[in-house]
Amino acid sequence: DIVMTQSPDSLAVSLGERATINCKSSQSVLYSSNNKNYLAWYQQTPGQPPKLLIYWASTRESGVPDRFSGSGSGTDFTLTISSLQAEDVAVYYCQQSYSNPLTFGGGTKVEI
Amino acid sequence: EVQLLESGGGLVQPGGSLRLSCAASGFIFRNYATSWVRQAPGKGLEWVSGISGSGGTTYFADSVKGRFTSSRDNSKNTLYLQMNSLRAEDTAVYYCAKSQDTAIVGILDSWGQGTLVTVSS
């Protein structure tokens, strides 16, 4: 199984400041035939189900604000919130869909 | 608008069984793979099971293999999770989620609100 490791477990960021979350996979999730990284990011606000933010490591889902961006390739990935808003307080998860079973990182809690 | 509505959760004794349902609407159900993902109280996300659009292929996490089965009725736009031999560690909110495409192990672009399963005597 591919193990997804996120860091940090939690971080506190001031409103308007940048938040950076890291995700590392135990093996590459880059599929060479199409050059796509099978890495997604989800946001879970309190009491709500997860919401897809980014897929293919850097493609924003429709409707997701452009302050959210994803980067990285192979085994190392980053989710960046460029200017934190109050509504961004949530737990963020990375997920690989490169191989069965689908696996998630442990989550990163973002607070103000 | 895609909607997924889970039902069937509740309190069950260890060793018991429960069947969860997920009613889907707003998309062509048979064209997309779907998954069950669970979240134990205060914990992270754990993928449980995935099923192809036709229902012909299913995958399971090792933690539930041999105890859980997944099926779907495309005529009713409904996904099911049959859970047998339940353990305390199966206590969680169970979400159904739609894949972005046909990939069983895929990007989950829509999620239901979840249904709580509590396994306790």
Side-chain angles (χ1 to χ4, degrees), chain B residues 3 5 8 10 14 17-20 23 29 32 37 44 52 54 57 60 63 67 69 102 104:
Chain B
Q3 291 195 348
L5 182 62
S17 297
L18 211 55
R19 189 177 84 154
L20 305 183
F29 184 63
Y32 295 90
V37 177
S52 62
S54 68
T57 303
F60 297 91
S63 58
R67 301 187 298 123
T69 59
T102 59
I104 299 173

Side-chain angles (χ1 to χ4, degrees), chain B residues 36-71:
Chain B
W36 290 98
V37 177
R38 69 185 180 184
Q39 186 169 37
K43 301 298 184 182
L45 302 172
E46 181 189 14
W47 178 81
V48 171
S49 172
I51 186 169
S52 62
S54 68
T57 303
T58 54
Y59 296 147
F60 297 91
D62 285 345
S63 58
V64 306
K65 205 171 290 183
R67 301 187 298 123
F68 291 12
T69 59
S70 181
S71 61

Side-chain angles (χ1 to χ4, degrees), chain B:
Chain B
E1 179 193 4
V2 172
Q3 291 195 348
L4 299 165
L5 182 62
E6 303 92 339
S7 60
L11 175 64
V12 61
Q13 292 189 338
S17 297
L18 211 55
R19 189 177 84 154
L20 305 183
S21 300
C22 174
S25 61
F27 64 103
I28 302 173
F29 184 63
R30 65 179 179 274
N31 286 356
Y32 295 90
T34 50
S35 283
W36 290 98
V37 177
R38 69 185 180 184
Q39 186 169 37
K43 301 298 184 182
L45 302 172
E46 181 189 14
W47 178 81
V48 171
S49 172
I51 186 169
S52 62
S54 68
T57 303
T58 54
Y59 296 147
F60 297 91
D62 285 345
S63 58
V64 306
K65 205 171 290 183
R67 301 187 298 123
F68 291 12
T69 59
S70 181
S71 61
R72 59 195 294 162
D73 185 338
N74 286 343
S75 69
K76 296 182 178 179
N77 287 355
T78 302
L79 173 70
Y80 303 100
L81 184 69
Q82 177 67 44
M83 304 185 294
N84 299 328
S85 303
L86 283 162
R87 307 166 180 167
E89 54 264 35
D90 296 318
T91 294
V93 173
Y94 284 73
Y95 296 102
C96 69
K98 167 189 166 290
S99 283
Q100 198 181 53
D101 51 28
T102 59
I104 299 173
V105 178
I107 299 159
L108 304 175
D109 65 359
S110 297
W111 297 63
Q113 289 296 314
T115 187
L116 176 62
V117 172
T118 303
V119 184
S120 175
S121 55

Side-chain angles (χ1 to χ4, degrees), chain A residues 42 44 49-50 55 93 95 97 102, chain B residues 39 95 100 105-106 108 111-112:
Chain A
Y42 298 84
Q44 187 176 31
Y55 57 96
Y93 295 93
Q95 171 238 320
S97 55
L102 186 159
Chain B
Q39 186 169 37
Y95 296 102
Q100 198 181 53
V105 178
L108 304 175
W111 297 63

